[in-house]
Amino acid sequence: MDFSFSDDQVLLRDTARAILSKECPPSLVRAHIDDPAAVAPLWSQLKDFTALGDGPCTDLCLFIDETGYVAAPGVFFPTTAMFAPLLAALDHELLPSVLSGEVTGTVAVAGADGHWTLNDEPVKTFVPEADRVDWIAVVDTGPTVRVLPAADVATRQTRMVDFSRLFFEVDTTGTPGSGVGLDPAVFNDLTARATAALAAEMVGTSRRLLEMAIAYAKERIQFDVPIGSFQAIQHRLAECSLAVERATAAAQYASMTLDASDAELSSSQERFRAVHVAKAAAGNAATRAAKDSIQVHGGIGYTWEHDLHLYLRRAVGSEHWLGTTSWHHDRLADLLFKAR
C-alpha cells in the first residue's frame, strides 16, 4: 500500500484549508450558537464538495480533517459522510441532488441507548442537524431504510456540551412508507466509513487545540520568560503532540484501508480493526489535547471570551459520538480474540 498522498489529494487538502480559514473563523462558530442559520455562507462554499460523499474515503477524510480544525458547524458532515454514502448503497434517486449540493440529509440509527446499532425504536437519538437538513434516512432492524422528508418527522434538540454540532431526537411514529432492504454487510461498511470520517475530523480539532496551546506557551510571560521555556509545559505539549501524530496516522490508515483493493487489507476484519483503532486514537488525542490546552492556557482558557472552548467542546462532544474510546477498544478486543 502506498501511504503517500497524490498531488490531487494535496491540492484538495490545501484548497479545503484555504476555504475554511477564510469562511469559518471563530466568529462564525460563535454566531452559530445564537443562530444556526449563520452558517449559510459557509454551506454555499462547502456544497461544492459534497461529491466527496460518493468518492474515496481518503479524499473525504482529508477534507473533513480540515473542517474539524475549524469546528465547522452545519450539515456538511451528516450530508457527505453519512447520508450520501447510504443513498449510493441504495442507488437512491436523491443521490445526484445530494452530490450536487442541492439537497441535504442526515441519518438516524441510534435508539434510546445512543449506540449506533440496529433497532426498531420509533424515536431515534443523537441525529445530527436533523432540523437543518431536507431529508432524514431512518435505519431500522433488518436493516431497512426509510428516506423521509425532514418536515414530516418531529424533532427535539438534545442539549450537548458542543454548540457547533446540533443533535436531535427524531420521532418517526406514524410516518408513512415502508423501508428498503439493505445488506447488513453494507450497513457495517457505511458505519465504518462514517466512523473513520469522524476520527479524521477529531484529528483536525486536536491539532487546532495543540497549536493554540503552543502559541500561547510562546507568548505568555511568567517570571520574565515565556511559559513554554518551562520543562513541565514542554513535556505536556510533547506528549500531546505524540497523541495527535498517532491519531493522524491511525485515521489516515483507516481511510486508506477502507479504499484498499489489496485482498488482505480490504478484508472486513482488517477494515474494522483499523477503524476501531482510528476512533480510539482520535478520542485519546482529542481528550488529551482538550485537557492539556486548558492547562497551558490557565485561567483565561476557562473564559467565554477566549476561543479555546469552541474547539474543546467539539473535541469532547465528538469523543462521545459513534462510540467512545473505551467502546472501540472493547470492539477491537472482540475482533482480536475472534481471530485467534
Side-chain angles (χ1 to χ4, degrees):
M1 176 184 285
D2 183 2
F3 289 95
S4 59
F5 293 135
S6 67
D7 291 342
D8 287 343
Q9 288 174 326
V10 172
L11 178 61
L12 175 65
R13 182 196 61 193
D14 293 346
T15 302
R17 190 168 294 175
I19 292 175
L20 290 164
S21 65
K22 178 183 178 183
E23 302 293 340
C24 191
S27 58
L28 178 72
V29 184
R30 287 180 178 276
H32 172 264
I33 297 173
D34 298 323
D35 179 14
V39 301
L42 174 63
W43 171 245
S44 68
Q45 298 291 325
L46 295 184
K47 68 180 183 180
D48 292 338
F49 296 90
T50 50
L52 291 170
D54 194 31
C57 188
T58 308
D59 294 352
L60 173 68
C61 289
L62 273 178
F63 196 95
I64 284 185
D65 180 309
E66 299 302 325
T67 65
Y69 185 84
V70 297
V75 300
F76 183 79
F77 187 94
T79 298
T80 310
M82 301 167 67
F83 191 59
L86 179 56
L87 293 185
L90 295 171
D91 195 21
H92 198 279
E93 60 184 4
L94 280 175
L95 180 62
S97 299
V98 173
L99 299 182
S100 65
E102 300 170 15
V103 169
T104 60
T106 189
V107 178
V109 178
D113 61 6
H115 293 160
W116 196 264
T117 53
L118 297 173
N119 62 82
D120 281 329
E121 297 178 37
V123 177
K124 304 297 186 184
T125 61
F126 300 102
V127 183
E129 312 296 342
D131 75 330
R132 309 301 304 176
V133 296
D134 302 313
W135 296 84
I136 301 175
V138 180
V139 185
D140 295 314
T141 302
T144 60
V145 182
R146 290 175 291 159
V147 182
L148 305 171
D152 289 355
V153 298
T155 61
R156 182 174 61 188
Q157 186 172 351
T158 304
R159 291 176 61 85
M160 303 286 289
V161 67
D162 179 17
F163 299 141
S164 64
R165 179 154 39 219
L166 305 183
F167 284 94
F168 294 81
E169 288 184 355
V170 171
D171 189 349
T172 63
T173 304
T175 52
S178 56
V180 178
L182 182 68
D183 187 330
V186 173
F187 173 75
N188 291 336
D189 287 344
L190 294 172
T191 302
R193 182 182 173 97
T195 305
L198 180 60
E201 186 194 83
M202 294 170 70
V203 167
T205 306
S206 304
R207 192 170 71 253
R208 178 65 172 262
L209 287 165
L210 174 62
E211 290 180 4
M212 292 178 75
I214 292 173
Y216 189 75
K218 290 179 178 177
E219 70 181 38
R220 176 74 167 93
I221 303 298
Q222 189 67 276
F223 305 113
D224 296 328
V225 296
I227 61 172
S229 63
F230 301 144
Q231 197 173 53
I233 299 292
Q234 293 172 354
H235 285 178
R236 184 178 294 277
L237 293 175
E239 293 291 340
C240 184
S241 179
L242 284 174
V244 173
E245 287 301 316
R246 186 162 50 243
T248 301
Q252 291 178 354
Y253 178 75
S255 62
M256 291 179 176
T257 303
L258 291 173
D259 289 337
S261 58
D262 181 276
E264 183 176 352
L265 288 176
S266 63
S267 69
S268 59
Q269 290 281 321
E270 181 58 25
R271 290 205 308 272
F272 297 142
R273 279 198 293 263
V275 170
H276 288 312
V277 168
K279 182 61 167 64
N284 273 330
T287 51
R288 171 121 208 172
K291 178 173 70 69
D292 288 349
S293 61
I294 200 74
Q295 288 282 333
V296 170
H297 278 79
I300 196 172
Y302 288 85
T303 62
W304 180 261
E305 290 74 15
H306 200 281
D307 292 333
L308 185 68
H309 71 92
L310 301 175
Y311 310 100
L312 186 151
R313 290 173 185 275
R314 171 61 73 93
V316 174
S318 296
E319 155 63 2
H320 288 84
W321 189 34
L322 297 182
T324 63
T325 295
S326 60
W327 187 88
H328 282 281
H329 279 158
D330 288 344
R331 301 292 79 74
L332 178 62
D334 291 342
L335 289 175
L336 292 174
F337 283 117
K338 187 186 297 184
R340 296 184 67 179

